[in-house]
Amino acid sequence: MLGPYQSAVVRIGFSLTWLLFLLREWPHRHELYGPGSPWGLDLAERLVASNQAFTVLLWSDSETWFESVYALAVLSSAALLLGWRTRTASVLFMAGVLSLQNRSVFMGDGGDNVVHLMALYLVLTRCGRVWSLDARRAARNVARSAARTDVTGIVLWVLAGLTLAVVTLGPGLSGGWALVFWGLWAAQAVWWAVHQQPPGEARTVCDILANLVHNGALLVIMAEVCLIYATAGWYKIQGSRWQDGTAVYYPLHLDYFAPWPGLNEVVASSGMLILLMTYGTVIVQVAFPFTLFNRRVKNVLLAMMIAEHLSIAVLMGLPFFSLAMIAADAVFLPTALLVWVGARSARLRDRFLPGGVVRDTKGPYGTDGTPGTGAGEIAGPGAGAPDAPGGEPEPAAAERPADSAPGRDAPADAGLR
């Protein structure tokens, strides 16, 4: 399985971005997506009828219904952020993102488009294998050396089935979306049933298929990020202001994008700094996709891109766009760095919140470069314990990534190094 740590960081990054956005816009939620939106319900219905986009907000014009959907979007974002019932949370997160954004399509920006796409991809990833409450629960089950029936997961699956049945017979889902949701629901039932049996061929096949889907989704995320930067860079090259090195100067003088006017003036007053920022942006965006198989160069450009988005957040007042792009960039962070950060964070947590946490100090990408047991919060969920629908699967020992040493070259996931 590719990038368990990278997929976890992407999950945390995008759920945090969307959660913070929803909380910040809480006072304005009615104007953005609700009954008070300038994009009226009749216009939204006409657009959705033409493009078959998914949104539950068109099922009713009730204010209570809108408030319920918005609250569910907040709760599902928090659940995905914490890695609680990651499978269920990822589907609810996707439904919340699509419902709100497709209700008022002109309320978003580039960052919202990235969140929109990643919400779809995260459903197909096994993004709760590490740094999640699912991983902690699985580790504790392994420590107890006894399989426990996951009542909460079963209840979530039953409630999801009843909800889908009501929705299908009531407001109605388009054929494509009905197939998607019922397919995900049925897949969880099959997964749970297979993992109630002793280890054997059926479980191995399911794990292989899950890893293939995860790897495919992660590669799509990587390709999406490369496409974003490549198209942005090549379009910039065609602009005369980017060619003469002055493009960055002009947005710094837009009052609407100047939360710190004094700071913008200081930056804009340096012609050399403007030149370096303009040309550096183009060079990094165009060159990045070609550096994925050179770890050192890729990591340098990755740091420069993250710094660029941080500067956009500060100088132009676009924090959520920057957070979304940094979360997308995180799919290319080096595994060794993420393991190091995770280990240091766990030690810091244990210093202030000691006791009660089962943790593997090695994990699949051990801090000492050796394979761990895979049964901890850093290492990921434990091996072999049965899982219920709605949670994140516990990996068998055979699922551990083959390139367990952080320093070992592995062309199959070179972009993650």
Side-chain angles (χ1 to χ4, degrees), residues 18-303:
W18 186 242
L19 176 62
L20 293 177
F21 173 78
L22 293 178
L23 294 178
R24 192 197 71 169
E25 298 299 342
W26 183 272
H28 314 292
R29 62 191 184 281
H30 290 276
E31 290 74 23
L32 286 174
Y33 305 113
S37 174
W39 186 252
L41 193 65
D42 56 336
L43 295 174
E45 289 175 343
R46 288 167 58 185
L47 182 61
V48 168
S50 64
N51 60 17
Q52 295 300 309
F54 174 82
T55 175
V56 303
L57 289 177
L58 298 184
W59 295 351
S60 173
D61 58 358
S62 166
E63 184 173 340
T64 302
W65 175 246
F66 167 74
E67 295 289 1
S68 301
V69 173
Y70 200 94
L72 181 61
V74 171
L75 293 175
S76 63
S77 300
L80 189 61
L81 172 65
L82 297 174
W84 184 81
R85 307 292 165 178
T86 313
R87 292 176 184 162
T88 302
S90 64
V91 175
L92 293 177
F93 177 76
M94 176 191 70
V97 170
L98 298 185
S99 294
L100 293 173
Q101 291 189 355
N102 289 334
R103 166 62 180 84
S104 299
V105 294
F106 295 111
M107 294 299 177
D109 57 21
D112 293 306
N113 293 337
V114 176
V115 173
H116 190 109
L117 293 171
M118 296 303 169
L120 295 169
Y121 302 149
L122 281 174
V123 173
L124 302 176
T125 64
R126 306 179 78 174
C127 56
R129 295 282 296 277
V130 297
W131 298 343
S132 68
L133 295 180
D134 287 344
R136 175 181 293 190
R137 184 179 69 253
R140 286 176 172 172
N141 289 342
V142 171
R144 296 187 184 104
S145 300
R148 303 180 63 183
T149 301
D150 192 350
V151 177
T152 304
I154 297 173
V155 170
L156 285 174
W157 181 80
V158 172
L159 289 177
L162 293 175
T163 303
L164 278 177
V166 171
V167 167
T168 303
L169 298 175
L173 289 171
S174 64
W177 285 108
L179 182 63
V180 168
F181 285 109
W182 279 111
L184 291 172
W185 182 81
Q188 301 312 313
V190 172
W191 181 273
W192 179 80
V194 169
H195 280 73
Q196 296 307 298
Q197 306 302 319
E201 184 177 354
R203 290 181 61 170
T204 301
V205 170
C206 282
D207 289 334
I208 291 174
L209 291 176
N211 285 340
L212 285 174
V213 173
H214 166 89
N215 293 348
L218 201 62
L219 289 175
V220 170
I221 292 174
M222 296 168 68
E224 189 76 43
V225 175
C226 289
L227 185 61
I228 290 172
Y229 285 120
T231 53
W234 286 106
Y235 271 111
K236 286 181 174 67
I237 288 177
Q238 302 174 48
S240 60
R241 299 305 181 193
W242 290 98
Q243 293 174 9
D244 61 26
T246 62
V248 174
Y249 175 84
Y250 300 100
L252 292 176
H253 287 81
L254 296 174
D255 294 337
Y256 189 74
F257 295 104
W260 315 100
L263 181 59
N264 286 21
E265 287 295 334
V266 171
V267 175
S269 64
S270 173
M272 180 58 67
L273 183 57
I274 292 295
L275 183 70
L276 291 176
M277 292 175 67
T278 302
Y279 284 151
T281 298
V282 175
I283 291 172
V284 169
Q285 290 183 348
V286 172
F288 180 74
F290 301 100
T291 65
L292 294 184
F293 293 96
N294 187 311
R295 284 189 295 171
R296 293 180 177 83
V297 177
K298 182 264 295 182
N299 290 338
V300 170
L301 293 187
L302 186 60

